[in-house]
Amino acid sequence: SQVPDNQFWLQSSGAQSITDNRTVKTPLGHCHMDYAGTAVTLNTDIVCNQISFNGGNPSFALGTRKLTLRGSAATSMPLVLTGGVLNMGTGTIEYDMTGSSFDFDITPATYYNLNLITLTGRKIWGGTAAAQTITVTNDLTITGNGTFDNNTGGNTDAILDVDGNFTISSGTFLSSSSSAFTVGGNFSNSGTFT
């Protein structure tokens, strides 16, 4: 259900699905997944400013769909996993900084496809605490004119494990000087890699 303060709440103990039939996908706001039932299935691509998986051990299935996260002024972490299971299937999570005036943090998790759309003057950070791992079981793609920074200079750089292709179509990737970075497929750089 859509509530007036630009937040989307899904609270049910049964099987649910989400469908956004709009041609132009604008953010649904802060999407809350607070339920203790069977998996919620994504039937179409959706856009949220932030998505939170809270108590009750929810399960969210992307299938082949794309979940785009645009962020909000209230948080630097658009994907919040405080309980539950994110079942990526062969879907894509996209951190999209377009129009943002703040930096993002990538949530340590296992992704299938991970797209990072960066913005000039802004950063997508790869780590916020020690011993975090960002695993991408298929492809990671960086676009835009900003920076994916996984080299904080401290002990918060994430271990970055990409099983498929790692592509810098544009923008900058700052690789950690202290944490492992592995690519199982092709490495392609049309931007800046340091």
Side-chain angles (χ1 to χ4, degrees):
S1 60
Q2 183 76 43
V3 293
D5 60 350
N6 201 29
Q7 297 193 43
F8 180 92
W9 291 83
L10 187 57
Q11 295 176 303
S12 174
S13 60
Q16 302 291 321
S17 62
I18 300 174
T19 302
D20 183 354
N21 288 323
R22 298 174 298 168
T23 303
V24 177
K25 309 291 190 208
T26 55
L28 297 172
H30 185 162
C31 301
H32 298 265
M33 302 296 153
D34 298 325
Y35 56 94
T38 55
V40 169
T41 302
L42 197 58
N43 290 334
T44 61
D45 297 348
I46 64 169
V47 179
C48 296
N49 289 332
Q50 180 185 32
I51 190 164
S52 298
F53 298 87
N54 299 314
N57 198 30
S59 176
F60 186 71
L62 265 70
T64 60
R65 305 300 182 178
K66 180 170 68 174
L67 169 62
T68 298
L69 300 171
R70 293 273 177 85
S72 70
T75 180
S76 65
M77 189 167 281
L79 174 61
V80 179
L81 296 171
T82 55
V85 176
L86 179 62
N87 179 2
M88 283 294 301
T90 56
T92 299
I93 289 190
E94 181 172 83
Y95 289 80
D96 182 359
M97 299 192 82
T98 304
S100 176
S101 58
F102 45 88
D103 295 345
F104 287 0
D105 295 319
I106 297 177
T107 298
T110 298
Y111 301 87
Y112 184 73
N113 290 315
L114 179 61
N115 294 345
L116 306 178
I117 302 176
T118 62
L119 182 69
T120 301
R122 294 290 162 199
K123 290 185 177 184
I124 296 178
W125 295 95
T128 57
Q132 294 179 326
T133 300
I134 298 168
T135 300
V136 182
T137 59
N138 199 47
D139 298 335
L140 190 154
T141 303
I142 301 170
T143 59
N145 297 308
T147 301
F148 171 30
D149 190 343
N150 195 39
N151 190 23
T152 63
N155 65 351
T156 60
D157 302 347
I159 297 166
L160 185 58
D161 178 17
V162 181
D163 296 341
N165 299 328
F166 184 93
T167 303
I168 307 172
S169 295
S170 59
T172 300
F173 172 58
L174 303 179
S175 182
S176 173
S177 58
S178 59
S179 295
F181 168 47
T182 57
V183 177
N186 296 322
F187 180 93
S188 175
N189 178 22
S190 298
T192 303
F193 170 74
T194 57

